[in-house]
Amino acid sequence: MNSQVSFKQKIKKKKLRADNCKTALVTIAAIIFAFIFLLPTILTITNSFMSPAEINANYGSIFATTKNGGKVFVSKTVNLKFIPDMVTFSQYFTVLLKSPEYLFKFWNSIIYVVPIVVFQLMVATLASYGFARYSGKLKNIIFFAYIIIMLMPYQVTLVPNFLVSRAIGIYGTKWAIWLPGIFSPFAVYLLTKFMRRIPTEVMEAASIDGAGEWYIFSRICFPLCKGGIASIAILVFFDYWNMVEQPLILLPDSDMHPLSVFLSKINAGEISLAFAVAVIYLIPPLLIFLYGEDYLVEGISYQGGIKG
């Protein structure tokens, strides 16, 4: 009897050791992959504190051009350095104080993105409530059209947006960016899926008690979808914060372009500033992600249901 017990204990210990080894291997692999994915961000942040001379010495061969403006073949290995020889804040001083055009483009990005996020969520919450609350053939057709539009890459809709914006007279204005973003089907589709997971019995019970549609929406559906709304807000912010094609097509005036477009046009003479500008551009989405990480995870896992 004792031998059988000891044999079972040995088997349990072996299984425990195997599980511990698997956990350790998975953890090590996750750390390695996380470090690899973080390398570009770490490189950008550390290089932003390098002097312009050191950056040109390390990466100047990449951006070198010929007299005719052509690219030079890079015959030597680029020197990737994570630790600067001398820490300097000259790049940030230039970006923040000497060159106001960078901050101007940064505020352009905020002016475009914040209204899109706010009003897209306002439109999406009301439209999603209608799609989730009521049924009918017309509603199904409209929702199916939303899905088809959402499946299209936004590059496909750039030409129609260009034609419509010129036809209604908003081409070259902020409205050419705002309106397509506000009425984007992405948030409507996701929020409808969230609201459809709310038990209909809850809303029916509220209706029997005399609650109106606005009360059901504001006191029942909206609170239960806060996690989904927060996660969608984060995703929408990231999407439009990095937009490049829309401003290039819909805004002919370069002074109205956001910083995302301006970063893609940095020339060889501004290599040293590119790292500092990229770090400044990285701060808002990084802060939003760190602050809203719990909401993002909750919104994805919760999916509009009622917690037990």
Side-chain angles (χ1 to χ4, degrees):
M1 187 69 180
N2 293 330
S3 61
Q4 291 180 353
V5 173
S6 60
F7 180 73
K8 290 180 179 180
Q9 290 178 350
K10 290 180 179 179
I11 294 176
K12 288 182 179 179
K13 288 181 180 180
K14 288 182 178 180
K15 289 183 178 180
L16 183 61
R17 290 176 182 174
D19 292 338
N20 291 335
C21 289
K22 290 181 180 179
T23 303
L25 291 175
V26 171
T27 303
I28 293 172
I31 293 173
I32 293 173
F33 280 109
F35 179 74
I36 292 174
F37 283 115
L38 287 175
L39 275 180
T41 303
I42 297 172
L43 184 69
T44 302
I45 295 174
T46 56
N47 283 197
S48 67
F49 296 102
M50 289 184 181
S51 64
E54 186 177 359
I55 290 177
N56 289 327
N58 294 329
Y59 310 107
S61 58
I62 299 177
F63 300 93
T65 58
T66 62
K67 294 181 180 180
N68 297 327
K71 292 295 183 180
V72 175
F73 176 73
V74 180
S75 60
K76 62 180 181 179
T77 304
V78 177
N79 184 23
L80 295 178
K81 292 185 63 176
F82 289 91
I83 301 176
D85 294 335
M86 183 181 65
V87 176
T88 177
F89 294 91
S90 61
Q91 298 182 93
Y92 289 99
F93 181 79
T94 302
V95 171
L96 297 176
L97 299 178
K98 289 185 177 181
S99 301
E101 56 182 340
Y102 294 102
L103 290 180
F104 183 74
K105 302 294 184 182
F106 179 84
W107 286 112
N108 276 350
S109 298
I110 294 177
I111 290 171
Y112 290 132
V113 175
V114 172
I116 288 176
V117 174
V118 173
F119 289 102
Q120 184 178 143
L121 289 177
M122 290 177 60
V123 172
T125 50
L126 295 173
S128 301
Y129 176 75
F131 283 129
R133 185 83 166 89
Y134 303 102
S135 60
K137 292 184 178 179
L138 181 60
K139 186 216 73 170
N140 293 332
I141 293 173
I142 296 175
F143 189 70
F144 180 74
Y146 262 84
I147 296 175
I148 295 299
I149 295 173
M150 190 189 69
L151 292 176
M152 293 182 180
Y154 62 84
Q155 292 88 349
V156 176
T157 61
L158 278 177
V159 174
N161 286 338
F162 171 78
L163 297 175
V164 171
S165 63
R166 291 197 65 175
I168 63 179
I170 62 173
Y171 175 72
T173 67
K174 294 181 177 66
W175 290 102
I177 302 296
W178 284 337
L179 288 182
I182 290 172
F183 295 100
S184 173
F186 173 74
V188 176
Y189 173 76
L190 290 183
L191 274 177
T192 301
K193 294 300 182 181
F194 276 92
M195 290 191 180
R196 282 180 176 174
R197 286 176 171 81
I198 300 175
T200 56
E201 293 81 3
V202 177
M203 292 181 281
E204 290 175 356
S207 299
I208 293 173
D209 291 338
E213 293 296 336
W214 178 252
Y215 184 92
I216 296 174
F217 168 75
S218 60
R219 300 296 181 89
I220 298 176
C221 291
F222 187 82
L224 291 175
C225 294
K226 281 185 177 179
I229 293 172
S231 61
I232 292 171
I234 295 172
L235 296 176
V236 171
F237 180 88
F238 289 166
D239 186 21
Y240 286 94
W241 186 255
N242 298 315
M243 63 180 173
V244 175
E245 290 87 352
Q246 299 97 314
L248 284 175
I249 300 298
L250 301 174
L251 299 175
D253 186 2
S254 60
D255 291 337
M256 299 181 66
H257 287 170
L259 191 56
S260 54
V261 175
F262 197 64
L263 277 173
S264 65
K265 294 181 178 180
I266 287 180
N267 54 44
E270 299 171 319
I271 303 172
S272 59
L273 300 179
F275 291 101
V277 176
V279 171
I280 294 174
Y281 189 68
L282 179 67
I283 291 174
L286 182 62
L287 293 178
I288 289 176
F289 175 77
L290 293 176
Y291 177 77
E293 181 182 5
D294 295 336
Y295 296 101
L296 184 62
V297 174
E298 180 185 359
I300 294 173
S301 60
Y302 181 34
Q303 295 186 351
I306 293 181
K307 295 180 180 179

